[in-house]
Amino acid sequence: RRFGTKCTACQQGIPPTQVVRKAQDFVYHLHCFACIICSRQLATGDEFYLMEDGRLVCKEDYESAKQNDDSEAGAKRPRTTITAKQLETLKNAYKNSPKPARHVREQLSSETGLDMRVVQV
């Protein structure tokens, strides 16, 4: 159990008598060999995309996701304008602690009204 083959998707052990599916060096239970987006079980001959971490995406979902990414690539997020009061609050907080913990950043985010990512950057 400890050192036997494990399913890439669920990380559970695979007994030697069980039927499996393989994709490159990854091994899966039959029911785990499925698309992570639509949960459709992939069969022999189906075209799919194998991600680096071993997750599987069927061809249809991969192409639609790729098409969405291409259309969103041109759209940029608007720049964030920080007011003087927000800047003062952030400077004081970072003066006290140059690397604040997550809960401190969350508190700063709620106090200033800025996005978590803006507070972190």
Side-chain angles (χ1 to χ4, degrees):
R1 284 185 185 180
R2 225 181 230 172
F3 304 108
T5 305
K6 289 187 178 176
C7 175
T8 303
C10 69
Q11 297 299 313
Q12 298 296 315
I14 301 175
T17 57
Q18 193 170 24
V19 179
V20 296
R21 296 247 187 227
K22 286 186 173 186
Q24 291 181 353
D25 294 333
F26 300 109
V27 181
Y28 304 86
H29 291 111
L30 284 178
H31 61 275
C32 293
F33 197 74
C35 175
I36 59 167
I37 297 173
C38 66
S39 301
R40 182 174 64 88
Q41 192 167 354
L42 300 168
T44 304
D46 285 349
E47 293 183 30
F48 61 89
Y49 178 76
L50 179 64
M51 298 173 71
E52 289 178 4
D53 59 0
R55 295 183 298 167
L56 304 164
V57 180
C58 66
K59 183 179 179 182
E60 294 80 21
D61 288 331
Y62 176 73
E63 288 177 349
S64 66
K66 187 176 175 186
Q67 191 175 30
N68 290 342
D69 286 347
D70 290 344
S71 65
E72 292 173 5
K76 289 188 176 181
R77 185 180 61 80
R79 293 184 77 105
T80 303
T81 305
I82 299 176
T83 65
K85 183 165 176 41
Q86 290 170 330
L87 185 60
E88 185 180 336
T89 304
L90 291 172
K91 279 185 177 181
N92 288 335
Y94 279 89
K95 191 187 320 176
N96 294 336
S97 173
K99 292 185 178 180
R102 180 179 175 88
H103 71 280
V104 174
R105 293 193 312 265
E106 287 173 348
Q107 184 180 358
L108 281 171
S109 176
S110 65
E111 284 177 15
T112 60
L114 296 169
D115 186 50
M116 250 311 257
R117 180 74 180 142
V118 173
V119 171
Q120 185 174 358
V121 170

